[in-house]
Amino acid sequence: MMNCKQAAQMLSEKLDRPLSAKEKMALTLHTTMCPPCRLFGKQMGSLRDLSKAYTKPKDQHEEKN
Amino acid sequence: MTNATLSVEMDSSAASNIFQDGAFIEELRVQMLKFARLQVRDIQLAEDAVQEAMLSAYQHIDRFARQSAFKTWVFSILKNKVIDLLRKEKRHVVASQLEDGPNLSGEALIEHLFEENGHWQKDERPKKWDQPDHGVENEHFWRIFDACLEALPAKYGRLFMMREFLEMETPEICHNEDVSVTSLNVTLYRARLRLRECLEDNWFGKEKS
């Protein structure tokens, strides 16, 4: 059974590598039952979005193709 | 012969457009400076590195017709300059200072956040970030974000920015930085953990405006 410490690390690694089917299943099982880890996962995504917003205050110079 | 000349001319006109787009160049310069200053603590050295990278990019401008290709390239020049500077800095700064920074990080932070059985410590459970977009338009929020990035240990900051700011894929970072995938993933995790903690302590956990 995955614990919070392992889940937290996996919620970060999810952003950097594809998780295996087994890992995905264990992680889903854990986060379904664990609200703090669910929040943590969301916040990992927020950090990525914030970093994007930080470096790219405007989108109009982004190339479209 | 004529064709070759023509194509060079076409390339350089496309390329000079890159530098004529003042807004693009200014935004790029700001991004570069942020990147350099978070890693090279000396502001003057960071600014010099940005200037040199820009100049060197300008000299090879005819190789780039597209802004995105140009941007990737100029950042890779800057990154190498920053790495050189960090190597020189290391002679003066004890390596452990670079790794640890002023706050808990790495294994110490993980021990602080989790109980021995791997559960969150009661007080350290992530709290809801109200309106995650709250503050994104807020100048004060970005000052906090800046400060939190700056407080990251240098190695964390560098790898985190390569991943999230420059949006490099992990194999590329591993190759450039000569780190293993496992070690990169752990470092990115620790960087995010530290950054999350800092934002929660200094922004999201504070009283709402």
Side-chain angles (χ1 to χ4, degrees):
Chain A
M1 194 55 195
M2 183 181 274
N3 64 33
C4 298
K5 192 175 163 181
Q6 295 160 331
Q9 178 158 358
M10 204 147 284
L11 286 163
S12 165
E13 292 199 5
K14 203 173 100 168
L15 299 174
D16 305 313
R17 67 176 176 91
L19 300 183
S20 71
K22 205 173 152 189
E23 287 172 330
K24 268 186 209 162
M25 210 194 312
L27 188 59
T28 308
L29 197 62
H30 181 93
T31 49
T32 311
M33 298 181 309
C34 179
C37 284
R38 225 160 36 234
L39 277 178
F40 185 84
K42 246 192 226 166
Q43 290 165 357
M44 291 296 99
S46 299
L47 288 183
R48 171 156 289 178
D49 296 340
L50 288 169
S51 301
K52 282 217 171 82
Y54 181 81
T55 42
K56 291 173 195 161
K58 300 176 217 87
D59 284 340
Q60 63 260 41
H61 304 300
E62 276 296 284
E63 215 178 17
K64 293 292 184 277
N65 49 17
Chain B
M1 194 66 193
T2 317
N3 279 347
T5 316
L6 188 62
S7 87
V8 166
E9 271 169 13
M10 279 172 66
D11 279 357
S12 36
S13 80
S16 61
N17 284 342
I18 292 178
F19 264 86
Q20 271 161 20
D21 185 345
F24 169 75
I25 290 298
E26 180 52 23
E27 194 182 308
L28 183 60
R29 205 185 63 82
V30 170
Q31 283 181 24
M32 289 168 73
L33 205 54
K34 278 178 183 168
F35 178 75
R37 279 184 56 178
L38 284 169
Q39 304 183 55
V40 182
R41 304 288 153 151
D42 186 314
I43 294 169
Q44 193 55 52
L45 284 179
E47 278 177 0
D48 289 351
V50 171
Q51 293 293 342
E52 283 171 32
M54 275 290 195
L55 185 62
S56 148
Y58 186 73
Q59 284 162 349
H60 298 90
I61 190 73
D62 50 341
R63 287 161 53 179
F64 304 95
R66 295 181 306 126
Q67 288 186 341
S68 60
F70 176 74
K71 185 173 163 179
T72 309
W73 195 72
V74 77
F75 259 108
S76 76
I77 298 177
L78 178 63
K79 201 187 67 201
N80 287 329
K81 290 196 185 297
V82 165
I83 289 169
D84 283 348
L85 287 171
L86 289 177
R87 285 204 182 111
K88 280 182 200 150
E89 232 175 53
K90 262 191 197 151
R91 276 188 236 132
H92 307 289
V93 184
V94 185
S96 67
Q97 271 175 285
L98 285 175
E99 303 276 326
D100 293 336
N103 296 302
L104 278 185
S105 59
E107 207 48 50
L109 177 62
I110 292 174
E111 268 172 37
H112 174 76
L113 293 177
F114 297 99
E115 294 183 32
E116 261 179 59
N117 62 12
H119 289 297
W120 291 101
Q121 294 279 3
K122 204 163 180 243
D123 297 341
E124 298 295 341
R125 284 182 197 148
K127 289 161 201 73
K128 194 165 190 298
W129 287 0
D130 277 328
Q131 303 159 282
D133 292 336
H134 169 74
V136 168
E137 300 298 325
N138 182 323
E139 206 178 305
H140 185 54
F141 172 78
W142 291 118
R143 273 204 297 276
I144 301 275
F145 193 78
D146 240 343
C148 287
L149 276 173
E150 211 154 328
L152 286 177
K155 186 177 117 191
Y156 293 11
R158 189 170 72 241
L159 296 178
F160 179 80
M161 292 180 90
M162 283 182 178
R163 181 76 185 105
E164 301 295 356
F165 284 35
L166 306 187
E167 296 173 44
M168 290 166 73
E169 294 299 329
T170 46
E172 197 185 356
I173 301 177
C174 289
H175 177 75
N176 286 6
E177 296 294 297
D178 205 18
V179 292
S180 71
V181 178
T182 313
S183 137
L184 174 64
N185 287 343
V186 170
T187 305
L188 289 174
Y189 168 51
R190 290 174 175 186
R192 291 185 184 117
L193 207 56
R194 179 74 235 130
L195 192 56
R196 195 206 75 83
E197 188 75 4
C198 182
L199 289 177
E200 190 159 288
D201 288 350
N202 295 289
W203 182 261
F204 292 105
K206 297 247 162 162
E207 78 275 26
K208 307 291 178 297
S209 49

